[in-house]
Amino acid sequence: MKIYKALTIAGSDNSGGAGIQADIKTFSAFSVYGMSVITAVTSQNTTGVKDFYKLPTEHIKKQFETICEDIKIDALKTGMLVDEEVVETVAEFIKRYHLKNLVIDPVIKASKGKDLFNKKAIESYITRLIPYSKIITPNKIEAEMLTGEKINSVDDIKKCARTLKSYGAEIVIIKGGHIDFEDSVVIDTVYINDKFIYLKYPKVQIKDTHGTGCTFSAAITANLAKGIEPLKSIRIARAYLQGSLENALDVGKGSVCLNHSWTK
Ligand code: PXL
């Protein structure tokens, strides 16, 4: 049996809802062998992020190098990259090892009390990393921060997607979770081959959650790793995310956690 291998470069969420932990659980749900390069370690639970510690860039490089020297990576994704040094490190490794199938989840927003990103890194994303990406998956805020544009209408979303594509991304997905088209649905906009495709799902009425962006991008990455074509990978990933939201788990006192194993 062929083993498909995927790598996540992201932060650790010790409470298991987002970041590295969500990514690895998702890779496993698709029977893809998961690996990690940890950029930072957060201290958090379902009520919020209390603190985070960035690992020294040299150590992040060593994690990356040891994997690349040994194992063929079929697809990879990025999450919380913290600062421009890490963004540039990822770009260097992608170039050096000719890595393919990069999914960028540009985790930029400040999350419950702690900034997960340094604004200087935005420029590095645009000039160094996005040119290597197959798919980029920003939410509204991230798309606005990366483009300097505002999203208030469907036309704004299209304009923003075109700008992100002009940075070198092959496929752009602007997630609809923070955009209110209609009360009862979430619409993700996929810009692919100069066409706009809309993925429409009923809004799941649950308490606050986190890790949805990590899970969605990890599911896309897992399917790309298996050699599934991008649009199909995106559709499979979105259906999987919906199931993990509909079967969410009340693990702690705060936000609910996605159920990564709901398909089993
Ligand atoms: O969902 C964004 C995110 C990504 N990565 C880590 C996080 C969070 C949000 O809290 O903690 C490690």
Side-chain angles (χ1 to χ4, degrees):
M1 193 179 75
K2 183 158 171 29
I3 305 163
Y4 299 102
K5 289 153 286 182
L7 172 69
T8 170
I9 304 133
S12 159
D13 167 1
N14 60 318
S15 63
I20 292 283
Q21 287 78 357
D23 294 343
I24 302 271
K25 290 178 197 181
T26 303
F27 293 161
S28 291
F30 287 99
S31 304
V32 167
Y33 182 83
M35 301 172 283
S36 63
V37 168
I38 301 183
T39 57
V41 180
T42 67
S43 301
Q44 64 178 298
N45 57 29
T46 59
T47 68
V49 180
K50 310 297 175 201
D51 201 3
F52 83 87
Y53 171 74
K54 190 204 147 190
L55 296 184
T57 306
E58 275 318 299
H59 188 69
I60 297 171
K61 287 186 181 168
K62 279 185 193 145
Q63 293 179 63
F64 220 145
E65 196 158 59
T66 45
I67 292 176
C68 289
E69 280 172 352
D70 185 33
I71 301 167
K72 182 181 168 291
I73 298 163
D74 296 308
L76 70 163
K77 64 151 282 187
T78 61
M80 172 183 168
L81 295 183
V82 192
D83 62 21
E84 67 279 10
E85 264 184 24
V86 184
V87 175
E88 281 168 26
T89 296
V90 178
E92 273 164 37
F93 274 87
I94 287 174
K95 190 166 170 219
R96 192 187 322 161
Y97 290 94
H98 308 287
L99 303 179
K100 297 276 179 291
N101 290 326
L102 168 66
V103 179
I104 299 179
D105 177 19
V107 176
I108 292 177
K109 70 173 173 59
S111 177
K112 291 190 179 162
K114 286 280 166 192
D115 246 332
L116 295 181
F117 202 73
N118 149 348
K119 282 189 186 140
K120 267 203 291 185
I122 290 181
E123 198 50 40
S124 310
Y125 254 114
I126 296 170
T127 58
R128 302 294 313 278
L129 195 57
I130 296 178
Y132 290 112
S133 64
K134 178 152 230 97
I135 307 181
I136 182 165
T137 65
N139 61 27
K140 175 180 187 279
I141 300 151
E142 291 156 353
E144 289 178 339
M145 288 184 77
L146 285 167
T147 60
E149 297 167 14
K150 279 274 161 225
I151 294 181
N152 292 310
S153 67
V154 175
D155 280 346
D156 292 344
I157 294 175
K158 287 185 171 173
K159 183 162 180 282
C160 212
R162 289 195 177 100
T163 304
L164 288 165
K165 179 158 166 110
S166 77
Y167 296 162
E170 200 177 310
I171 301 164
V172 178
I173 307 175
I174 300 191
K175 293 175 293 191
H178 299 96
I179 304 171
D180 277 333
F181 280 98
E182 292 170 43
D183 276 353
S184 56
V185 290
V186 175
I187 302 172
D188 300 314
T189 304
V190 182
Y191 185 41
I192 179 170
N193 297 330
D194 281 324
K195 285 198 209 62
F196 288 95
I197 292 169
Y198 298 97
L199 307 180
K200 201 167 170 175
Y201 272 86
K203 197 173 274 179
V204 183
Q205 303 298 343
I206 47 176
K207 275 195 289 180
D208 201 18
T209 183
H210 79 302
T212 51
C214 307
T215 300
F216 181 47
S217 54
I220 298 172
T221 308
N223 284 283
L224 290 178
K226 289 171 152 178
I228 296 171
E229 56 101 1
L231 187 57
K232 193 164 175 207
S233 293
I234 293 164
R235 289 192 192 281
I236 295 170
R238 186 60 185 84
Y240 170 74
L241 174 65
Q242 190 73 4
S244 37
L245 279 163
E246 284 169 359
N247 295 282
L249 307 167
D250 225 344
V251 172
K253 300 189 184 90
S255 59
V256 291
C257 296
L258 297 182
N259 183 344
H260 291 97
S261 321
W262 69 274
T263 51
K264 298 213 174 80

